[in-house]
Amino acid sequence: MDLDAVTKQSALHAKPDGLTLQYGTAGFRTKAEHLDHVMFRMGLLAVLRSKQTKSTIGVMVTASHNPEEDNGVKLVDPLGEMLAPSWEDHATCLANAEEQDLPRVLVDIGEKAAVNLHQDAFVVIGRDTRPSSEKLSQSVIDGVTVLGGQFHDYGLLTTPQLHYMVYCRNTSGQYGKATIEGYYQKLSAAFVELTKQASCSGDDQRTLKVDCANGIGALKLREMKHYFSQGLSVQLFNDGTKGKLNHLCGADFVKSHQKPPQGIEMKSHERCCSFDGDADRIVYYYHDADGQFHLVDGDKIAALISSFLKEPLLEIGDSLSLGVVQTAYANGSSTRYLEEVMKVPVYCTKTGVKHLHHKAQEFDIGVYFEANGHGTVLFSKAAEMKIKQLAKELEEDKKRKAAKMLENVIDLFNQATGDAISDMLVIEAILALKGLTVQQWDALYTDLPNRQLKVKVADRQVISTTDAERQAVKPPGLQEAINELVKKYRLSRAFVRPSGTEDIVRVYAEADSQENADSLAYEVSLAVFQLAGGIGERPQPGF
Ligand code: 16G
Ligand code: MG
């Protein structure tokens, strides 16, 4: 490592004194103006990680659903996965090193992680549409270059597209071609093939309204829609030509406010969906005849997909294991439906894609979704090989068809990470094949009324949780208080957890009626405020 060169270059991306940041669930995320040094240093770190893994590493510049003024960065590991936990710690150390300590910290990481510095390094970079993203991704490139790494800058990409590129490059093109064309072609071909069997004629061609959060999803979907126009016509809203990124629109807005985004015209029973700012989340929704809004969230997406998959799996007669992974935020009705009606095993992990992804890898077929719309389906290599073999070999027409259908499903899901575009195409294919309307899909089960609140506390780390965040072990007395409150309501459940992305504590409650879910959430917030060092205004009842 040419540490003198690093020091010199770093001075051009100097760290503001005393600023500390943490590599959290979604990488580093804060106001864009505080991130230049972090970007440069993540370029450095990506080179070390690439040398250590002897693989291509990805760096994505985005702050997802956060406001336009924010930005962020995360590293993508060789198989398209989130960065390994021990490297998250290295990332935090490197980002927080004061200028004069940078060379030492860099050498330290190299030693601790046993990086062979003579190894070549290759880094791929993508960015979202924020005004700050272009300059910040240039800082990443400066970091990569000063350590002698090679790079390819993909420019504007959705987060899942960058994951896809990394995965393709590290599997010698077996997974797909590592180009934007390759991505469009792979997904669209699988979609068109899958929907061929749907009994829908030209004149009732399916249409879908898509709110793109004024983000990168709009650009990419606009390019891509010609590839699958035979099977689906998408109408783009909030495409970034007028509105501000994530402002009053996008999946996060729709899910948390439980109302439609601005900038979309909805007629009753029309199927609509929203992406978030970097297109790795998707939720669906519609208005009924009375003008009432209905949200079809990640839980219902998981329910639709798992019930769809069960049939062909049964048909091919091979006992591949299917499991669904959720978080504590999954609506109680969804868990009950999956376990009791669909009879599929359901597991709960901590919040954050990496936890769900990891658990889903334990099954032949692992369906994972967060209620907020992050998710995908992972097929193990063994399952994929088995299905491909059956699609070729099976004699019986019905069985072969089922195997072929599964083969297309494998190609259609982005196996590297949750992907709004890929999920959207899978959902649209399933609805077409099953002849389901969005209301029929929504009617799989009825969500329990729920409420989410935030509480400000002096130090959110005073709360620690266990049992996939469903139980608070600290501060003393908090869980007991929650248990007492929950007892007062029917079909009720509540939990609290420190946010991984904001300086607050999150409260979740569900119960038999909206009124009860609201009061339970309020009472739990008050308990948090009193027992976990609340600051500012006390939580108030009513919403
Ligand atoms: C991040 C996570 C998301 C999680 C959210 C929770 C990824 C790619 N994103 O956005 O999965 O739901 O954080 O935020 O892992 P919170 O900790 O503030 O509730
Ligand atoms: Mg996102």
Side-chain angles (χ1 to χ4, degrees):
M1 281 193 280
D2 183 350
L3 293 176
D4 284 342
V6 171
T7 306
K8 252 194 218 144
Q9 271 290 317
S10 181
L12 304 174
H13 301 282
K15 174 182 172 300
D17 265 351
L19 176 67
T20 61
L21 295 166
Q22 208 196 338
Y23 196 99
T25 8
F28 292 105
R29 217 175 264 186
T30 186
K31 292 272 161 277
E33 71 242 37
H34 296 144
L35 280 168
D36 183 50
H37 68 293
V38 177
M39 297 292 167
F40 173 73
R41 292 166 184 211
M42 288 308 103
L44 302 175
L45 193 73
V47 170
L48 293 187
R49 182 66 174 155
S50 172
K51 286 177 189 280
Q52 193 224 20
T53 57
K54 302 185 178 59
S55 307
T56 295
I57 293 296
V59 181
M60 183 71 200
V61 176
T62 180
S64 184
H65 59 273
N66 284 38
E68 190 165 280
E69 307 71 53
D70 290 9
N71 218 320
V73 58
K74 57 185 168 190
L75 267 62
V76 179
D77 254 0
L79 296 180
E81 293 158 287
M82 303 291 169
L83 186 63
S86 58
W87 280 75
E88 291 188 356
D89 296 341
H90 297 325
T92 302
C93 280
L94 194 61
N96 293 331
E98 296 304 336
E99 279 307 307
Q100 68 279 9
D101 301 330
L102 186 64
R104 183 183 53 76
V105 173
L106 208 51
V107 170
D108 240 37
I109 296 172
E111 281 172 8
K112 272 196 200 140
V115 176
N116 174 2
L117 295 171
H118 301 295
Q119 185 69 37
D120 289 339
F122 199 88
V123 178
V124 291
I125 299 145
R127 64 167 197 269
D128 72 11
T129 53
R130 284 161 210 273
S132 58
S133 291
E134 189 169 357
K135 187 159 176 288
L136 290 174
S137 69
Q138 188 54 50
S139 307
V140 175
I141 293 173
D142 289 352
V144 173
T145 325
V146 74
L147 279 191
Q150 303 281 312
F151 69 93
H152 178 80
D153 180 11
Y154 280 101
L156 293 165
L157 280 189
T158 70
T159 297
Q161 285 171 342
L162 183 75
H163 285 251
Y164 165 90
M165 302 302 175
V166 173
Y167 195 17
C168 289
R169 282 175 181 264
N170 290 318
T171 47
S172 341
Q174 268 182 32
Y175 180 63
K177 264 179 82 183
T179 60
I180 194 74
E181 279 286 319
Y183 172 93
Y184 293 153
Q185 275 163 1
K186 177 177 166 140
L187 266 59
S188 304
F191 174 76
V192 169
E193 199 51 44
L194 194 57
T195 45
K196 263 187 194 159
Q197 297 170 38
S199 52
C200 129
S201 62
D203 46 319
D204 65 346
Q205 197 207 27
R206 301 177 66 91
T207 56
L208 172 68
K209 292 187 164 175
V210 186
D211 153 32
C212 299
N214 290 315
I216 180 69
L219 271 67
K220 297 300 161 182
L221 197 54
R222 181 171 297 121
E223 286 171 7
M224 187 179 184
K225 63 183 197 174
H226 313 287
Y227 290 77
F228 57 71
S229 55
Q230 277 168 277
L232 173 71
S233 129
V234 290
Q235 248 181 302
L236 308 190
F237 295 85
N238 298 322
D239 65 355
T241 46
K242 293 193 296 283
K244 207 171 164 187
L245 178 69
N246 297 326
H247 182 61
L248 305 175
C249 61
D252 192 63
F253 174 85
V254 172
K255 170 76 185 163
S256 47
H257 293 81
Q258 311 245 348
K259 64 179 187 196
Q262 280 192 4
I264 192 165
E265 304 136 31
M266 284 171 70
K267 298 205 192 85
S268 66
H269 300 296
E270 266 178 353
R271 208 162 64 257
C272 304
C273 68
S274 286
F275 293 179
D276 73 336
D278 63 340
D280 65 353
R281 275 169 69 172
I282 184 168
V283 293
Y284 273 70
Y285 45 91
Y286 65 97
H287 270 149
D288 65 21
D290 302 327
Q292 208 195 332
F293 176 78
H294 295 263
L295 178 69
V296 185
D297 65 2
D299 299 337
K300 250 181 200 149
I301 296 176
L304 178 77
I305 293 170
S306 359
S307 46
F308 172 76
L309 288 175
K310 275 205 87 171
E311 266 178 54
L313 282 174
L314 215 62
E315 186 67 51
I316 62 169
D318 207 272
S319 53
L320 295 171
S321 67
L322 174 73
V324 178
V325 186
Q326 306 182 315
T327 71
Y329 289 107
N331 195 276
S333 292
S334 77
T335 315
R336 201 166 311 120
Y337 174 81
L338 286 163
E339 284 179 335
E340 290 171 17
V341 183
M342 293 313 305
K343 309 261 185 256
V344 291
V346 180
Y347 299 82
C348 185
T349 68
K350 290 204 280 191
T351 301
V353 169
K354 64 181 174 199
H355 301 294
L356 291 106
H357 193 95
H358 191 72
K359 184 72 193 175
Q361 285 172 326
E362 290 177 14
F363 307 94
D364 291 320
I365 301 164
V367 179
Y368 76 83
F369 270 90
E370 289 189 312
N372 65 21
H374 272 127
T376 189
V377 177
L378 301 179
F379 289 78
S380 70
K381 271 283 153 265
E384 179 176 343
M385 276 164 59
K386 187 98 217 172
I387 287 167
K388 295 207 160 151
Q389 188 191 346
L390 290 174
K392 274 202 214 102
E393 280 175 9
L394 280 175
E395 295 281 314
E396 205 189 319
D397 202 36
K398 236 175 124 191
K399 289 195 171 183
R400 204 180 51 239
K401 251 189 174 167
K404 275 214 166 328
M405 181 185 279
L406 288 169
E407 202 179 349
N408 290 324
V409 171
I410 296 174
D411 287 340
L412 190 44
F413 272 115
N414 188 340
Q415 303 278 303
T417 193
D419 180 337
I421 294 180
S422 148
D423 291 345
M424 174 192 88
L425 291 175
V426 173
I427 293 164
E428 290 301 313
I430 295 177
L431 295 178
L433 285 164
K434 294 268 157 204
L436 286 177
T437 64
V438 64
Q439 303 87 269
Q440 286 166 327
W441 168 22
D442 188 30
L444 284 180
Y445 61 82
T446 307
D447 274 323
L448 278 171
N450 56 87
R451 177 65 63 190
Q452 283 196 52
L453 294 175
K454 303 176 185 186
V455 184
K456 282 211 167 89
V457 295
D459 173 13
R460 69 193 198 278
Q461 302 311 337
V462 301
I463 295 191
S464 67
T465 63
T466 182
D467 188 23
E469 304 179 323
R470 290 173 291 192
Q471 299 278 326
V473 284
K474 271 193 330 199
L478 180 58
Q479 189 56 48
E480 290 73 14
I482 296 174
N483 293 345
E484 284 309 308
L485 294 169
V486 165
K487 271 190 209 152
K488 291 168 50 185
Y489 301 93
R490 281 194 58 243
L491 301 175
S492 58
R493 188 168 74 88
F495 66 90
V496 303
R497 55 176 281 277
S499 158
T501 63
E502 285 180 66
D503 192 12
I504 46 137
V505 174
R506 293 198 196 280
V507 171
Y508 177 91
E510 63 186 34
D512 58 344
S513 70
Q514 191 60 54
E515 204 187 349
N516 287 344
D518 288 353
S519 24
L520 178 57
Y522 159 67
E523 289 171 335
V524 172
S525 302
L526 207 56
V528 170
F529 191 86
Q530 283 160 350
L531 297 168
I535 52 171
E537 214 181 303
R538 283 165 75 86
Q540 299 295 318
F543 301 95

